[in-house]
Amino acid sequence: MEAKKHTYDWPRPAVTVDVALFTAAGAMQSLQLRVLLIRRGEAPFVGHWALPGGFVREAEGLEAAARRELLEETGLGEIRFEQVCAVGTPGRDPRGHTITVLYAGLARGDAAVVARGDASEASWFAVDELPALAFDHEELLRRALAHLRRRLGEAPICDALLPAEFTLGEFQRLVEVLLGREVDRRNFRRKVECLVEKTGRNRREGAHRPAELYRFVPGAFERAERELPF
Amino acid sequence: MEAKKHTYDWPRPAVTVDVALFTAAGAMQSLQLRVLLIRRGEAPFVGHWALPGGFVREAEGLEAAARRELLEETGLGEIRFEQVCAVGTPGRDPRGHTITVLYAGLARGDAAVVARGDASEASWFAVDELPALAFDHEELLRRALAHLRRRLGEAPICDALLPAEFTLGEFQRLVEVLLGREVDRRNFRRKVECLVEKTGRNRREGAHRPAELYRFVPGAFERAERELPF
DNA sequence: CCAAAAGTGTTGGTTTTACACCCATGG
DNA sequence: CCATGGGTGTAAAACCAACACTTTTGG
């Protein structure tokens, strides 16, 4: 390895991006927060489940790399990304010193997934029923989840995770999953009424009264003067 | 450049760490938030002010690299670090594709600074009176500041920025600087009374009543049930 | 004696929480 | 007719924001 002028002489660490892509899915009362995993088709950890991700290319932005890897391995595009952190613990990758930049991706509803590229299989898993993961991806996933929880009050996370039309029950369930505790239904509805509007349609589902469907009012999160006290 | 098995064939980006080291300093009524800058002794940007930082070495952790660079360039150790983000915008470094991991460091009071290593000079600057900076370090500094502001309520930031003994006036001023607005003195004192205790000493300063000196009660931030509503 | 910062409580408004009943549907 | 989740208001408690005067010191 040759040292160019103004750069340094040590071997460079590799740089990867990994994406924890989340979605809120499942029938209302059993709505789950799910994360997209791929089964690795290449060594190391062949056959293990892992977060989609891969090496950053020359002159490629970090978020662009995350987008590209996600598209290559799962066919998903048009996703909102939030950077979570960079992790470079020595020894975390058996291939050598590797620094990864972790992104949380937010997908609406269940998106269709195909396995391609380095992935031999791709599928959604409920975040509380995970298989063993490759590398330190369990740790990465914990961090991505913690990031989502912190961001819940400050940003339109739910907007990006729920389908375009949803019931207030689903919205509430999602918030409860992220918060890790239950909230009062009437108080919840009061707090979010400035963010959503009825679509006029409703959803017939199971042996009970149909639920009104709502959508997010565009820009409502930005207009909300304070952060939401969920 | 030779591709090893299981790694990739593209040239690797370089990885650096940069540190925005903050401290709260200055006589009470004019307390400022300051950041440590070094004057670069090497190309590119020789002679420009910049955040301390440098390349991550082989098998070196990210925070360890931040610690090492700070020590090498400024002689400061024993600092608390918080990772802010990773930045890898193409073109941000004229030496080629470079990804930096940004840390915010928190130093107590004015620490003695010496310029060493790649730095020809090192000194504290008030965050609202900055010189032009090398690379994209103005942007990095903005991000580090935003990080501090967000963390203010959730973590013992002030503990790490203030000297071991301080007046409530200083504490309040620091919070005001971070918040970017003034707060009511009596309300402020009520909110922090669970976090601090009198040392018994007081500080005589200028033509007015001496101020009681306080210290942080160890573990008080952790015990605080909710995040502080500054 | 004046200027400057330190110190100290109360009140009114707002926000948050807790809580219970009826409705529409499918089985 | 029953089980299931959907939909709705009110009252007490907690919290927050606004506010003014007295104290101690140095010049």
Side-chain angles (χ1 to χ4, degrees):
Chain A
M1 191 158 311
E2 186 191 348
K4 285 193 297 186
K5 209 171 148 211
H6 302 151
T7 61
Y8 62 132
D9 300 334
W10 305 285
R12 296 182 172 187
V15 181
T16 60
V17 288
D18 288 301
V19 180
L21 182 68
F22 294 101
T23 198
M28 3 196 137
Q29 60 286 11
S30 64
L31 178 136
Q32 295 170 313
L33 187 65
R34 295 190 186 163
V35 65
L36 183 66
L37 299 177
I38 59 154
R39 196 189 282 278
R40 289 181 58 82
E42 311 255 316
F45 291 99
V46 192
H48 283 67
W49 292 98
L51 299 177
F55 293 101
V56 174
R57 297 193 181 164
E58 185 60 15
E60 180 180 50
L62 293 170
E63 189 176 316
R67 287 213 137 74
R68 177 183 50 73
E69 287 289 347
L70 189 61
L71 188 64
E72 282 178 10
E73 294 182 344
T74 69
L76 290 169
E78 296 291 310
I79 294 292
R80 174 147 151 237
F81 286 96
E82 306 224 334
Q83 192 189 104
V84 178
C85 62
V87 177
T89 319
R92 60 176 292 279
D93 189 320
R95 292 168 296 192
H97 190 198
T98 303
I99 287 151
T100 197
V101 180
L102 175 61
Y103 282 84
L106 310 175
R108 301 196 114 174
D110 264 291
V113 176
V114 300
R116 311 190 288 192
D118 292 346
S120 63
E121 196 175 345
S123 146
W124 296 99
F125 288 80
V127 292
D128 47 7
E129 297 170 17
L130 294 174
L133 300 182
F135 304 102
D136 55 354
H137 287 194
E138 269 144 31
E139 166 71 8
L140 297 187
L141 195 38
R142 260 195 303 280
R143 294 219 202 189
L145 263 170
H147 174 88
L148 279 198
R149 297 208 165 100
R150 271 204 316 281
R151 294 279 292 165
L152 178 58
E154 11 177 311
I157 300 281
C158 300
D159 182 7
L161 286 171
L162 288 168
E165 295 194 347
F166 52 90
T167 68
L168 290 186
E170 290 167 334
F171 187 3
Q172 180 179 347
R173 225 77 45 129
L174 172 58
V175 167
E176 287 176 339
V177 169
L178 288 174
L179 240 44
R181 64 179 161 85
E182 303 198 331
V183 302
D184 180 89
R185 183 151 39 102
R186 280 164 295 185
N187 294 339
F188 177 81
R189 292 164 109 87
R190 198 181 355 232
K191 274 184 245 186
V192 301
E193 73 189 353
C194 59
L195 301 177
V196 297
E197 62 189 9
K198 290 184 182 178
T199 64
R201 280 178 290 283
N202 55 30
R203 181 182 295 164
R204 204 166 308 272
E205 154 117 28
H208 54 79
R209 178 174 178 175
E212 298 270 354
L213 286 171
Y214 288 79
R215 73 171 73 91
F216 284 98
V217 177
F221 271 97
E222 291 72 11
R223 273 195 300 281
E225 60 291 340
R226 309 178 50 74
E227 64 181 56
L228 300 177
F230 282 127
Chain B
M1 190 157 316
E2 186 192 348
K4 284 192 296 188
K5 208 171 150 212
H6 302 152
T7 61
Y8 63 133
D9 299 335
W10 305 286
R12 296 182 173 188
V15 181
T16 60
V17 288
D18 288 300
V19 179
L21 183 68
F22 295 101
T23 197
M28 6 195 134
Q29 61 286 9
S30 63
L31 179 137
Q32 297 171 314
L33 187 64
R34 295 190 187 163
V35 64
L36 184 66
L37 299 177
I38 60 155
R39 195 190 283 278
R40 289 181 58 81
E42 313 256 316
F45 292 99
V46 191
H48 283 67
W49 292 98
L51 298 177
F55 294 102
V56 173
R57 298 192 181 165
E58 186 61 15
E60 181 181 49
L62 294 170
E63 190 176 315
R67 285 211 138 72
R68 177 184 50 75
E69 287 288 347
L70 189 61
L71 188 64
E72 282 178 9
E73 295 182 344
T74 69
L76 291 168
E78 295 292 309
I79 295 293
R80 173 147 152 238
F81 286 96
E82 305 225 334
Q83 192 188 105
V84 178
C85 61
V87 177
T89 319
R92 61 176 292 278
D93 189 320
R95 292 168 295 192
H97 191 197
T98 303
I99 287 152
T100 197
V101 180
L102 175 62
Y103 281 85
L106 311 175
R108 300 196 114 174
D110 264 292
V113 177
V114 300
R116 310 192 288 193
D118 293 346
S120 63
E121 198 175 344
S123 141
W124 296 99
F125 288 79
V127 292
D128 47 8
E129 297 170 17
L130 293 174
L133 300 184
F135 304 102
D136 56 354
H137 286 193
E138 269 145 32
E139 165 71 8
L140 297 187
L141 195 37
R142 258 195 304 280
R143 293 219 203 188
L145 263 169
H147 175 87
L148 278 200
R149 297 209 166 100
R150 271 203 316 280
R151 293 278 293 165
L152 179 59
E154 16 178 305
I157 300 281
C158 300
D159 183 6
L161 287 171
L162 289 168
E165 294 194 348
F166 53 89
T167 69
L168 290 186
E170 292 168 334
F171 187 2
Q172 181 180 345
R173 225 76 45 133
L174 172 59
V175 167
E176 287 176 338
V177 169
L178 289 173
L179 242 45
R181 64 180 162 84
E182 302 198 334
V183 302
D184 181 88
R185 184 150 35 103
R186 282 163 294 185
N187 294 339
F188 176 81
R189 290 163 111 84
R190 196 179 0 227
K191 273 183 244 185
V192 300
E193 72 188 351
C194 58
L195 300 178
V196 296
E197 61 190 9
K198 291 185 183 176
T199 64
R201 280 177 290 283
N202 56 31
R203 180 182 294 166
R204 204 166 308 272
E205 155 118 27
H208 54 81
R209 178 173 178 175
E212 298 271 354
L213 286 171
Y214 289 78
R215 72 171 73 91
F216 284 100
V217 178
F221 271 97
E222 291 71 12
R223 273 195 300 281
E225 60 291 341
R226 308 177 51 78
E227 66 180 54
L228 299 177
F230 281 127

